Amino acid sequence: MPPLPPIDRIVLARYRQFHHCDIDLREPSTGSPLREVCVLGPNGTGKSTLLRVLHQLSSGGSLEDELDAGFVAARHVTEEAPLYHVQTQGESIWCSAGIEANPAFGRSLGETVALSEFLSACEEHRTEAPGWPVVRSAFFTPETTQVDGEPCAGLEELLRQLLQERSMAYREFLRRPENRDRTVAEADEAFRETRRTVADSLTVAWDKVLSVARLRFDSDNRESLVSLDSGEAVPCSALSRGLRDFLLRLGLVFREYFDSDKQAGIVSLDDPEQGLHPSLCLGLIDLYRSILDSHDTRLFVATHSPLIATQFPATSRVVLGFGENGHIVARPGTAPEGSDPERLLRQDFGVQLTDWQRRVRRAGEVTKLKRAIRQTEDQSELADLLDEVMSLRRR
C-alpha cells in the first residue's frame, strides 16, 4: 500500500491560537504540494502549533484529544481525487473533496459554526478511511528530539551505537574467505575502501559543522574530538548544547536515510537556529537537503531567523500574523530566495530598521572608511574612499 499522500491545504478552526485559518500549501506554478514549508511570524502567532499540526497530520498522527469545539482538516492529494482528513474532539473522519462546496464548510472559515452542524456536513461526504501506513518522521524542537514519535538518547549514545555497528560490520568483513590471509593493515585499508559505514560517512558531514569551531572527529575514536589548532583531544561533552543538539539531530536523520530506499518521511525542525552561530545557520538547511533530496521526504521548519528563512523560496514560506480582528492570518512570503537579511526582515518578518539603527550602521561604515583612509598609500584608492565618506554623510 502506498504511504500517506502529501497535504496541500490545512484548515484550522477554533484550535489554540487559530480562530479560523485556511492555509494553502501548494506550489503556485504547478499546483503540486510543497515539499518544503518554512513558517514565520511574531511570537504568539502559532508557528510551533502549525509546525506540530503539519507534522502530525503529514505523518499519520492524531490531534483528536486536543480539540474542543473546533476542528482541523487536511487535504491529502491522491492519484484519484483529493481526500480530507477531518479531526475533531474524539473523532477522525475522512471526507471526499465535495465537502468544499458544503455551505457549513465555507461558513466555518469565516464565522462560528456549531460543531454539530459541521459534523453533519462531514457525514454527508464521509468516505472510508484509506488506511495508509504511517510514514517515518523526525520531530526536533529545542526541548524535544524524537524519531518516529519516540524520544532519542544523546550524542554520546548515538556515537556508541554507530561505533558498535561499524565494529560488527568490520568483523563480518574479516570473516569473508578473501580477507582471512590479509594483514591487519591490509584488512583495514580494504575495509575503508569497500565498506562505507554510517559512522564513516556521517563523520564527513559532521566535520563540515565542526570545522567552524576548529574541531574534527577523531578518525580512530569517534567518541572524542580533535582540535585543528593544537591537535589535543576534546571530549564531546565540551561542546555547547546548541552544537551538540545539531550534531545529534543531523546524525539521526543521516542514519535513518543512509544507504536506504525509504521513499517517504517527514522531518520537522522548530527553532533550528537556537544556540548556533550564524555561519552554521546559513548552511543548515542545505545539510538536511543533502540527506533528504534523494528521498520523498518533506521538510517543515518554524524559525525566527532570516538566515534560515532566506534559504527557502518565497512560495515555500508561510507567514503568520495578526489580522484586523486580532485573528491569525497566513500569507506566502514575498522576499526572493537568497535575499539579504535586511530585505527579508522588512518584507516577510515585518521589521523596519529605525532611523537610529540606520545611523548606528552608517556611523560604523564611516569609522571603517576612516580607518582605511589612514592605512592606504594609494592616491587613487584614497580619492575613492573619500568619495564614499562624503556619500554616506549626505544620506
Side-chain angles (χ1 to χ4, degrees):
M1 182 176 288
L4 189 68
I7 293 171
D8 73 349
R9 179 188 188 187
I10 279 190
V11 179
L12 303 101
R14 300 183 298 284
Y15 175 66
R16 297 193 176 178
Q17 299 102 317
F18 297 92
H19 180 70
H20 52 79
C21 195
D22 188 358
I23 302 175
D24 190 343
L25 299 172
R26 293 174 296 178
E27 173 59 51
S29 61
T30 64
S32 58
L34 293 171
R35 181 168 176 172
E36 297 179 341
V37 176
C38 178
V39 185
L40 313 177
N43 293 105
T45 52
K47 292 185 303 303
S48 295
T49 298
L50 178 58
L51 181 75
R52 184 170 175 277
V53 169
L54 274 171
H55 182 86
Q56 288 287 90
L57 300 187
S58 297
S59 59
S62 173
L63 300 168
E64 297 167 31
D65 294 337
E66 303 173 14
L67 294 158
D68 187 8
F71 70 89
V72 173
R75 185 172 63 188
H76 292 266
V77 180
T78 71
E79 292 183 359
E80 295 79 24
L83 286 179
Y84 273 90
H85 188 192
V86 178
Q87 296 193 26
T88 66
Q89 187 178 35
E91 286 205 68
S92 176
I93 305 171
W94 287 89
C95 306
S96 70
I99 195 174
E100 293 176 340
N102 193 295
F105 185 83
R107 290 202 309 274
S108 69
L109 302 181
E111 59 186 81
T112 300
V113 171
L115 185 58
S116 58
E117 182 183 353
F118 178 74
L119 290 177
S120 295
C122 290
E123 288 297 333
E124 293 178 25
H125 303 276
R126 183 189 279 267
T127 186
E128 185 178 350
W132 290 305
V134 174
V135 301
R136 308 303 295 264
S137 66
F139 186 67
F140 304 144
T141 78
E143 297 80 27
T144 306
T145 300
Q146 292 181 345
V147 173
D148 294 334
E150 298 296 327
C152 301
L155 181 61
E156 289 82 357
E157 176 60 20
L158 176 62
L159 287 168
R160 187 192 66 78
Q161 293 173 3
L162 293 177
L163 290 173
Q164 185 177 40
E165 291 169 6
R166 188 181 190 280
S167 178
M168 292 173 62
Y170 184 61
R171 287 198 297 269
E172 179 185 341
F173 177 81
L174 292 178
R175 284 196 291 268
R176 294 179 182 176
E178 66 270 23
N179 297 323
R180 290 174 182 169
D181 295 330
R182 294 179 188 264
T183 65
V184 173
E186 290 171 341
D188 283 347
E189 183 178 358
F191 180 76
R192 292 175 186 273
E193 290 177 354
T194 60
R195 281 296 300 271
R196 197 69 175 171
T197 67
V198 178
D200 295 319
S201 298
L202 182 54
T203 297
V204 176
W206 271 341
D207 279 348
K208 291 179 182 178
V209 177
L210 288 168
S211 63
V212 176
R214 302 295 297 158
L215 296 167
R216 67 171 175 81
F217 269 100
D218 188 330
S219 58
D220 298 316
N221 177 16
R222 289 179 179 82
E223 292 184 355
S224 65
L225 312 172
V226 174
S227 168
L228 295 178
D229 297 320
S230 67
E232 296 179 356
V234 178
C236 290
S237 58
L239 296 175
S240 68
R241 178 179 174 181
L243 191 52
R244 284 164 61 84
D245 284 348
F246 184 25
L247 292 172
L248 169 64
R249 292 162 181 181
L250 193 67
L252 289 169
V253 173
F254 189 96
R255 184 188 190 185
E256 185 76 9
Y257 289 98
F258 176 79
D259 197 22
S260 168
D261 59 358
K262 294 171 183 172
Q263 292 301 307
I266 305 294
V267 174
S268 299
L269 314 174
D270 193 2
D271 282 343
E273 68 273 15
Q274 190 167 98
L276 296 180
H277 189 273
S279 60
L280 282 179
C281 292
L282 279 171
L284 184 148
I285 299 303
D286 278 343
L287 278 171
Y288 280 102
R289 284 175 178 150
S290 68
I291 304 169
L292 304 177
D293 274 357
S294 59
H295 301 270
D296 186 17
T297 293
R298 283 169 165 72
L299 179 64
F300 301 147
V301 177
T303 182
H304 285 290
S305 170
L307 298 179
I308 298 289
T310 192
Q311 296 170 62
F312 292 89
T315 53
S316 292
R317 297 187 213 117
V318 175
V319 183
L320 301 179
F322 296 103
E324 293 181 0
N325 54 8
H327 296 160
I328 293 169
V329 296
R331 65 170 178 83
T334 56
E337 182 178 7
S339 295
D340 66 84
E342 182 179 338
R343 180 174 182 179
L344 202 73
L345 281 169
R346 184 174 64 254
Q347 292 186 208
D348 286 356
F349 284 80
V351 177
Q352 299 286 345
L353 290 178
T354 65
D355 290 339
W356 176 81
Q357 288 172 308
R358 289 194 180 94
R359 287 198 299 271
V360 169
R361 189 175 62 181
R362 184 173 60 190
E365 293 172 355
V366 170
T367 300
K368 285 189 289 186
L369 287 171
K370 286 182 176 179
R371 187 180 302 117
I373 289 171
R374 289 195 295 269
Q375 293 173 350
T376 186
E377 296 180 359
D378 186 310
Q379 292 300 312
S380 176
E381 181 182 12
L382 177 60
D384 290 339
L385 289 170
L386 289 170
D387 286 342
E388 285 190 58
V389 172
M390 295 306 296
S391 175
L392 280 172
R393 291 191 181 281
R394 284 193 296 267
R395 290 182 193 174

